[in-house]
Amino acid sequence: METNAMQTKISYLIFVLLHFSLSYQALAKSLPENDFTQLAHIKTAIQPYVNDGFAGSIVVANEFGTIFSQSYGQAVPGVANFSTSTVVDIASVSKQFTAAAIMRLVEDGLMDTSDLMSQYIENVPEDKVDITIHHLLTHSAGFKRDAGRDEEAASRVSYEYKAMASKLAFGVGEQYHYSNIGYNLLAIIVEKVSKMRFEDYLFVHLFKPAGMFSTGYLRPDWSQYSVAEITE
């Protein structure tokens, strides 16, 4: 597929993450006696939040596996409760996967964090010529937070143009300023360097090796799962 022609959301950042884990009842039967103390502490720590209306799933694990797994509240009010198979939008927590993709490309010798952004993005204006991959990764490139709403559809070319036309919030490398623009550009760079769609690269090089078959944008079949509603 020609990625230049690919239509995508302005944000490459919103992922849907699905956790599968053992039920609390089955787990409790298999724990050695001293682990029940851990369970008691975990449940005591969680209970105030549950009493305050927390809705979601909580999984606690160590090097030996899952210690605690329990779901609370409604994922879709009046329709579906939360369970450990509820699909949850992790929003900007997905930036860690974008950064991991970049670092995998660095590890494979295909790029470096010291590379200028202009090696991968065309028509970079004078005020942005000194931006490096490191600046983008560390939110220090000077970009504002957004270049439009995440829900807006945009081609890769049109988003690059909008990002390059945006006014910097401060000089390159001068300070930290959280920016979705920078991470959208990093996702575009992943596509250009790998010559793969962003989600396909993540699946092949990150998700599949980690056994994460229910994480992504469009690859997984979400139709068989409850998808939690996002509330402000």
Side-chain angles (χ1 to χ4, degrees):
M1 171 181 285
E2 280 291 330
T3 52
N4 279 341
M6 181 185 68
Q7 290 291 320
T8 184
K9 286 186 176 180
I10 264 188
S11 177
Y12 282 91
L13 308 175
I14 299 180
F15 270 73
V16 219
L17 181 64
L18 183 62
H19 291 288
F20 284 110
S21 56
L22 297 173
S23 69
Y24 169 74
Q25 292 81 6
L27 175 65
K29 293 178 182 178
S30 64
L31 283 170
E33 184 175 353
N34 62 340
D35 282 341
F36 284 101
T37 302
Q38 295 184 50
L39 283 174
H41 286 307
I42 292 168
K43 294 182 73 173
T44 299
I46 289 170
Q47 197 57 47
Y49 299 97
V50 175
N51 294 342
D52 198 37
F54 168 77
S57 295
I58 297 175
V59 178
V60 180
N62 61 17
E63 65 270 29
F64 302 110
T66 304
I67 296 173
F68 177 85
S69 175
Q70 187 75 333
S71 300
Y72 306 88
Q74 294 189 322
V76 182
V79 177
N81 292 328
F82 262 102
S83 74
T84 52
S85 62
T86 300
V87 177
V88 179
D89 187 339
I90 65 169
S92 282
V93 176
S94 59
K95 284 184 174 68
Q96 64 183 311
F97 297 118
T98 307
I102 289 289
M103 296 312 297
R104 176 58 190 269
L105 291 168
V106 171
E107 186 178 70
D108 289 343
L110 298 175
M111 61 182 300
D112 196 273
T113 56
S114 63
D115 291 346
L116 290 171
M117 177 182 69
S118 58
Q119 292 178 228
Y120 309 101
I121 303 295
E122 297 179 358
N123 302 315
V124 175
E126 184 63 28
D127 64 328
K128 301 177 180 68
V129 293
D130 293 328
I131 294 175
T132 66
I133 301 301
H134 181 267
H135 288 132
L136 296 176
L137 286 168
T138 58
H139 298 279
S140 59
F143 283 114
K144 296 184 295 183
R145 183 183 179 95
D146 297 297
R149 292 182 58 83
D150 287 346
E151 296 80 8
E152 295 176 5
S155 69
R156 196 173 75 182
V157 172
S158 67
Y159 189 82
E160 286 185 41
Y161 175 82
K162 185 179 290 189
M164 292 304 102
S166 67
K167 185 177 179 180
L168 292 181
F170 54 84
V172 177
E174 288 182 359
Q175 57 181 292
Y176 170 93
H177 184 78
Y178 185 87
S179 176
N180 289 329
I181 295 175
Y183 268 75
N184 286 329
L185 291 172
L186 286 171
I188 288 172
I189 290 169
V190 169
E191 289 195 335
K192 290 187 174 184
V193 174
S194 69
K195 296 179 172 57
M196 297 174 66
R197 291 176 63 251
F198 181 61
E199 184 176 12
D200 290 343
Y201 183 85
L202 293 179
F203 178 76
V204 171
H205 294 280
L206 298 180
F207 299 153
K208 186 177 179 181
M212 299 170 64
F213 295 102
S214 298
T215 303
Y217 299 112
L218 302 175
R219 284 189 67 97
D221 178 10
W222 305 121
S223 62
Q224 58 185 312
Y225 302 112
S226 295
V227 180
E229 291 186 356
I230 300 174
T231 58
E232 296 297 333

mmCIF file with all atom_site columns, all heavy atoms in Angstrom, residues 114-128:
data_model
loop_
_atom_site.group_PDB
_atom_site.id
_atom_site.type_symbol
_atom_site.label_atom_id
_atom_site.label_alt_id
_atom_site.label_comp_id
_atom_site.label_asym_id
_atom_site.label_entity_id
_atom_site.label_seq_id
_atom_site.pdbx_PDB_ins_code
_atom_site.Cartn_x
_atom_site.Cartn_y
_atom_site.Cartn_z
_atom_site.occupancy
_atom_site.B_iso_or_equiv
_atom_site.pdbx_formal_charge
_atom_site.auth_seq_id
_atom_site.auth_comp_id
_atom_site.auth_asym_id
_atom_site.auth_atom_id
_atom_site.pdbx_PDB_model_num
ATOM 1   N N   . SER A 1 114 ? 19.785 11.331 16.780 1.00 0.00 ? 114 SER A N   1
ATOM 2   C CA  . SER A 1 114 ? 20.424 12.611 16.474 1.00 0.00 ? 114 SER A CA  1
ATOM 3   C C   . SER A 1 114 ? 20.108 13.100 15.064 1.00 0.00 ? 114 SER A C   1
ATOM 4   O O   . SER A 1 114 ? 20.483 14.219 14.697 1.00 0.00 ? 114 SER A O   1
ATOM 5   C CB  . SER A 1 114 ? 21.939 12.500 16.654 1.00 0.00 ? 114 SER A CB  1
ATOM 6   O OG  . SER A 1 114 ? 22.486 11.550 15.745 1.00 0.00 ? 114 SER A OG  1
ATOM 7   N N   . ASP A 1 115 ? 19.419 12.287 14.265 1.00 0.00 ? 115 ASP A N   1
ATOM 8   C CA  . ASP A 1 115 ? 19.064 12.695 12.903 1.00 0.00 ? 115 ASP A CA  1
ATOM 9   C C   . ASP A 1 115 ? 18.159 13.916 12.928 1.00 0.00 ? 115 ASP A C   1
ATOM 10  O O   . ASP A 1 115 ? 17.291 14.055 13.799 1.00 0.00 ? 115 ASP A O   1
ATOM 11  C CB  . ASP A 1 115 ? 18.322 11.567 12.183 1.00 0.00 ? 115 ASP A CB  1
ATOM 12  C CG  . ASP A 1 115 ? 19.203 10.383 11.867 1.00 0.00 ? 115 ASP A CG  1
ATOM 13  O OD1 . ASP A 1 115 ? 20.441 10.519 11.962 1.00 0.00 ? 115 ASP A OD1 1
ATOM 14  O OD2 . ASP A 1 115 ? 18.649 9.314  11.527 1.00 0.00 ? 115 ASP A OD2 1
ATOM 15  N N   . LEU A 1 116 ? 18.341 14.786 11.967 1.00 0.00 ? 116 LEU A N   1
ATOM 16  C CA  . LEU A 1 116 ? 17.446 15.937 11.810 1.00 0.00 ? 116 LEU A CA  1
ATOM 17  C C   . LEU A 1 116 ? 16.091 15.464 11.292 1.00 0.00 ? 116 LEU A C   1
ATOM 18  O O   . LEU A 1 116 ? 16.012 14.550 10.466 1.00 0.00 ? 116 LEU A O   1
ATOM 19  C CB  . LEU A 1 116 ? 18.041 16.957 10.856 1.00 0.00 ? 116 LEU A CB  1
ATOM 20  C CG  . LEU A 1 116 ? 19.275 17.728 11.345 1.00 0.00 ? 116 LEU A CG  1
ATOM 21  C CD1 . LEU A 1 116 ? 19.863 18.537 10.203 1.00 0.00 ? 116 LEU A CD1 1
ATOM 22  C CD2 . LEU A 1 116 ? 18.910 18.636 12.522 1.00 0.00 ? 116 LEU A CD2 1
ATOM 23  N N   . MET A 1 117 ? 15.042 16.087 11.770 1.00 0.00 ? 117 MET A N   1
ATOM 24  C CA  . MET A 1 117 ? 13.700 15.784 11.279 1.00 0.00 ? 117 MET A CA  1
ATOM 25  C C   . MET A 1 117 ? 13.613 15.971 9.769  1.00 0.00 ? 117 MET A C   1
ATOM 26  O O   . MET A 1 117 ? 12.894 15.243 9.073  1.00 0.00 ? 117 MET A O   1
ATOM 27  C CB  . MET A 1 117 ? 12.689 16.703 11.978 1.00 0.00 ? 117 MET A CB  1
ATOM 28  C CG  . MET A 1 117 ? 11.249 16.536 11.513 1.00 0.00 ? 117 MET A CG  1
ATOM 29  S SD  . MET A 1 117 ? 10.115 17.695 12.347 1.00 0.00 ? 117 MET A SD  1
ATOM 30  C CE  . MET A 1 117 ? 10.663 19.266 11.625 1.00 0.00 ? 117 MET A CE  1
ATOM 31  N N   . SER A 1 118 ? 14.365 16.928 9.256  1.00 0.00 ? 118 SER A N   1
ATOM 32  C CA  . SER A 1 118 ? 14.323 17.247 7.827  1.00 0.00 ? 118 SER A CA  1
ATOM 33  C C   . SER A 1 118 ? 14.840 16.111 6.946  1.00 0.00 ? 118 SER A C   1
ATOM 34  O O   . SER A 1 118 ? 14.655 16.134 5.723  1.00 0.00 ? 118 SER A O   1
ATOM 35  C CB  . SER A 1 118 ? 15.124 18.522 7.544  1.00 0.00 ? 118 SER A CB  1
ATOM 36  O OG  . SER A 1 118 ? 16.473 18.374 7.967  1.00 0.00 ? 118 SER A OG  1
ATOM 37  N N   . GLN A 1 119 ? 15.499 15.112 7.543  1.00 0.00 ? 119 GLN A N   1
ATOM 38  C CA  . GLN A 1 119 ? 15.920 13.952 6.758  1.00 0.00 ? 119 GLN A CA  1
ATOM 39  C C   . GLN A 1 119 ? 14.729 13.087 6.359  1.00 0.00 ? 119 GLN A C   1
ATOM 40  O O   . GLN A 1 119 ? 14.824 12.282 5.439  1.00 0.00 ? 119 GLN A O   1
ATOM 41  C CB  . GLN A 1 119 ? 16.907 13.095 7.560  1.00 0.00 ? 119 GLN A CB  1
ATOM 42  C CG  . GLN A 1 119 ? 18.261 13.765 7.803  1.00 0.00 ? 119 GLN A CG  1
ATOM 43  C CD  . GLN A 1 119 ? 19.191 12.908 8.631  1.00 0.00 ? 119 GLN A CD  1
ATOM 44  O OE1 . GLN A 1 119 ? 19.802 13.366 9.595  1.00 0.00 ? 119 GLN A OE1 1
ATOM 45  N NE2 . GLN A 1 119 ? 19.325 11.651 8.259  1.00 0.00 ? 119 GLN A NE2 1
ATOM 46  N N   . TYR A 1 120 ? 13.620 13.280 7.042  1.00 0.00 ? 120 TYR A N   1
ATOM 47  C CA  . TYR A 1 120 ? 12.451 12.430 6.814  1.00 0.00 ? 120 TYR A CA  1
ATOM 48  C C   . TYR A 1 120 ? 11.191 13.212 6.459  1.00 0.00 ? 120 TYR A C   1
ATOM 49  O O   . TYR A 1 120 ? 10.273 12.656 5.859  1.00 0.00 ? 120 TYR A O   1
ATOM 50  C CB  . TYR A 1 120 ? 12.177 11.590 8.069  1.00 0.00 ? 120 TYR A CB  1
ATOM 51  C CG  . TYR A 1 120 ? 13.403 10.871 8.558  1.00 0.00 ? 120 TYR A CG  1
ATOM 52  C CD1 . TYR A 1 120 ? 14.144 11.358 9.634  1.00 0.00 ? 120 TYR A CD1 1
ATOM 53  C CD2 . TYR A 1 120 ? 13.858 9.713  7.923  1.00 0.00 ? 120 TYR A CD2 1
ATOM 54  C CE1 . TYR A 1 120 ? 15.288 10.702 10.076 1.00 0.00 ? 120 TYR A CE1 1
ATOM 55  C CE2 . TYR A 1 120 ? 15.003 9.058  8.354  1.00 0.00 ? 120 TYR A CE2 1
ATOM 56  C CZ  . TYR A 1 120 ? 15.709 9.562  9.435  1.00 0.00 ? 120 TYR A CZ  1
ATOM 57  O OH  . TYR A 1 120 ? 16.850 8.917  9.851  1.00 0.00 ? 120 TYR A OH  1
ATOM 58  N N   . ILE A 1 121 ? 11.142 14.459 6.835  1.00 0.00 ? 121 ILE A N   1
ATOM 59  C CA  . ILE A 1 121 ? 9.982  15.308 6.565  1.00 0.00 ? 121 ILE A CA  1
ATOM 60  C C   . ILE A 1 121 ? 10.378 16.354 5.541  1.00 0.00 ? 121 ILE A C   1
ATOM 61  O O   . ILE A 1 121 ? 11.396 17.046 5.701  1.00 0.00 ? 121 ILE A O   1
ATOM 62  C CB  . ILE A 1 121 ? 9.474  15.999 7.852  1.00 0.00 ? 121 ILE A CB  1
ATOM 63  C CG1 . ILE A 1 121 ? 9.130  14.965 8.927  1.00 0.00 ? 121 ILE A CG1 1
ATOM 64  C CG2 . ILE A 1 121 ? 8.272  16.890 7.560  1.00 0.00 ? 121 ILE A CG2 1
ATOM 65  C CD1 . ILE A 1 121 ? 7.981  14.045 8.574  1.00 0.00 ? 121 ILE A CD1 1
ATOM 66  N N   . GLU A 1 122 ? 9.577  16.511 4.501  1.00 0.00 ? 122 GLU A N   1
ATOM 67  C CA  . GLU A 1 122 ? 9.904  17.448 3.415  1.00 0.00 ? 122 GLU A CA  1
ATOM 68  C C   . GLU A 1 122 ? 9.469  18.873 3.752  1.00 0.00 ? 122 GLU A C   1
ATOM 69  O O   . GLU A 1 122 ? 8.582  19.093 4.580  1.00 0.00 ? 122 GLU A O   1
ATOM 70  C CB  . GLU A 1 122 ? 9.226  16.988 2.111  1.00 0.00 ? 122 GLU A CB  1
ATOM 71  C CG  . GLU A 1 122 ? 9.709  15.635 1.621  1.00 0.00 ? 122 GLU A CG  1
ATOM 72  C CD  . GLU A 1 122 ? 9.000  15.212 0.353  1.00 0.00 ? 122 GLU A CD  1
ATOM 73  O OE1 . GLU A 1 122 ? 8.106  15.956 -0.106 1.00 0.00 ? 122 GLU A OE1 1
ATOM 74  O OE2 . GLU A 1 122 ? 9.323  14.140 -0.176 1.00 0.00 ? 122 GLU A OE2 1
ATOM 75  N N   . ASN A 1 123 ? 10.098 19.815 3.079  1.00 0.00 ? 123 ASN A N   1
ATOM 76  C CA  . ASN A 1 123 ? 9.713  21.233 3.144  1.00 0.00 ? 123 ASN A CA  1
ATOM 77  C C   . ASN A 1 123 ? 9.692  21.766 4.569  1.00 0.00 ? 123 ASN A C   1
ATOM 78  O O   . ASN A 1 123 ? 8.750  22.445 4.998  1.00 0.00 ? 123 ASN A O   1
ATOM 79  C CB  . ASN A 1 123 ? 8.347  21.443 2.488  1.00 0.00 ? 123 ASN A CB  1
ATOM 80  C CG  . ASN A 1 123 ? 8.322  20.996 1.036  1.00 0.00 ? 123 ASN A CG  1
ATOM 81  O OD1 . ASN A 1 123 ? 9.242  21.299 0.269  1.00 0.00 ? 123 ASN A OD1 1
ATOM 82  N ND2 . ASN A 1 123 ? 7.288  20.256 0.657  1.00 0.00 ? 123 ASN A ND2 1
ATOM 83  N N   . VAL A 1 124 ? 10.754 21.462 5.311  1.00 0.00 ? 124 VAL A N   1
ATOM 84  C CA  . VAL A 1 124 ? 10.871 21.963 6.677  1.00 0.00 ? 124 VAL A CA  1
ATOM 85  C C   . VAL A 1 124 ? 11.299 23.432 6.635  1.00 0.00 ? 124 VAL A C   1
ATOM 86  O O   . VAL A 1 124 ? 12.340 23.754 6.045  1.00 0.00 ? 124 VAL A O   1
ATOM 87  C CB  . VAL A 1 124 ? 11.898 21.142 7.481  1.00 0.00 ? 124 VAL A CB  1
ATOM 88  C CG1 . VAL A 1 124 ? 12.111 21.743 8.866  1.00 0.00 ? 124 VAL A CG1 1
ATOM 89  C CG2 . VAL A 1 124 ? 11.442 19.688 7.571  1.00 0.00 ? 124 VAL A CG2 1
ATOM 90  N N   . PRO A 1 125 ? 10.542 24.334 7.257  1.00 0.00 ? 125 PRO A N   1
ATOM 91  C CA  . PRO A 1 125 ? 10.889 25.756 7.208  1.00 0.00 ? 125 PRO A CA  1
ATOM 92  C C   . PRO A 1 125 ? 12.078 26.088 8.106  1.00 0.00 ? 125 PRO A C   1
ATOM 93  O O   . PRO A 1 125 ? 12.507 25.276 8.939  1.00 0.00 ? 125 PRO A O   1
ATOM 94  C CB  . PRO A 1 125 ? 9.609  26.442 7.714  1.00 0.00 ? 125 PRO A CB  1
ATOM 95  C CG  . PRO A 1 125 ? 8.960  25.423 8.582  1.00 0.00 ? 125 PRO A CG  1
ATOM 96  C CD  . PRO A 1 125 ? 9.271  24.093 7.958  1.00 0.00 ? 125 PRO A CD  1
ATOM 97  N N   . GLU A 1 126 ? 12.586 27.298 7.949  1.00 0.00 ? 126 GLU A N   1
ATOM 98  C CA  . GLU A 1 126 ? 13.806 27.719 8.632  1.00 0.00 ? 126 GLU A CA  1
ATOM 99  C C   . GLU A 1 126 ? 13.704 27.585 10.150 1.00 0.00 ? 126 GLU A C   1
ATOM 100 O O   . GLU A 1 126 ? 14.680 27.188 10.807 1.00 0.00 ? 126 GLU A O   1
ATOM 101 C CB  . GLU A 1 126 ? 14.124 29.179 8.265  1.00 0.00 ? 126 GLU A CB  1
ATOM 102 C CG  . GLU A 1 126 ? 15.435 29.706 8.837  1.00 0.00 ? 126 GLU A CG  1
ATOM 103 C CD  . GLU A 1 126 ? 16.659 28.956 8.304  1.00 0.00 ? 126 GLU A CD  1
ATOM 104 O OE1 . GLU A 1 126 ? 16.597 28.441 7.172  1.00 0.00 ? 126 GLU A OE1 1
ATOM 105 O OE2 . GLU A 1 126 ? 17.674 28.892 9.032  1.00 0.00 ? 126 GLU A OE2 1
ATOM 106 N N   . ASP A 1 127 ? 12.553 27.894 10.727 1.00 0.00 ? 127 ASP A N   1
ATOM 107 C CA  . ASP A 1 127 ? 12.442 27.870 12.189 1.00 0.00 ? 127 ASP A CA  1
ATOM 108 C C   . ASP A 1 127 ? 12.453 26.450 12.766 1.00 0.00 ? 127 ASP A C   1
ATOM 109 O O   . ASP A 1 127 ? 12.575 26.276 13.980 1.00 0.00 ? 127 ASP A O   1
ATOM 110 C CB  . ASP A 1 127 ? 11.174 28.606 12.653 1.00 0.00 ? 127 ASP A CB  1
ATOM 111 C CG  . ASP A 1 127 ? 9.892  27.926 12.189 1.00 0.00 ? 127 ASP A CG  1
ATOM 112 O OD1 . ASP A 1 127 ? 9.903  27.312 11.097 1.00 0.00 ? 127 ASP A OD1 1
ATOM 113 O OD2 . ASP A 1 127 ? 8.884  28.006 12.903 1.00 0.00 ? 127 ASP A OD2 1
ATOM 114 N N   . LYS A 1 128 ? 12.377 25.437 11.878 1.00 0.00 ? 128 LYS A N   1
ATOM 115 C CA  . LYS A 1 128 ? 12.306 24.050 12.353 1.00 0.00 ? 128 LYS A CA  1
ATOM 116 C C   . LYS A 1 128 ? 13.457 23.173 11.848 1.00 0.00 ? 128 LYS A C   1
ATOM 117 O O   . LYS A 1 128 ? 13.470 21.972 12.089 1.00 0.00 ? 128 LYS A O   1
ATOM 118 C CB  . LYS A 1 128 ? 10.965 23.432 11.930 1.00 0.00 ? 128 LYS A CB  1
ATOM 119 C CG  . LYS A 1 128 ? 9.742  24.177 12.471 1.00 0.00 ? 128 LYS A CG  1
ATOM 120 C CD  . LYS A 1 128 ? 8.431  23.565 11.968 1.00 0.00 ? 128 LYS A CD  1
ATOM 121 C CE  . LYS A 1 128 ? 7.237  24.304 12.517 1.00 0.00 ? 128 LYS A CE  1
ATOM 122 N NZ  . LYS A 1 128 ? 7.109  25.680 11.974 1.00 0.00 ? 128 LYS A NZ  1
#
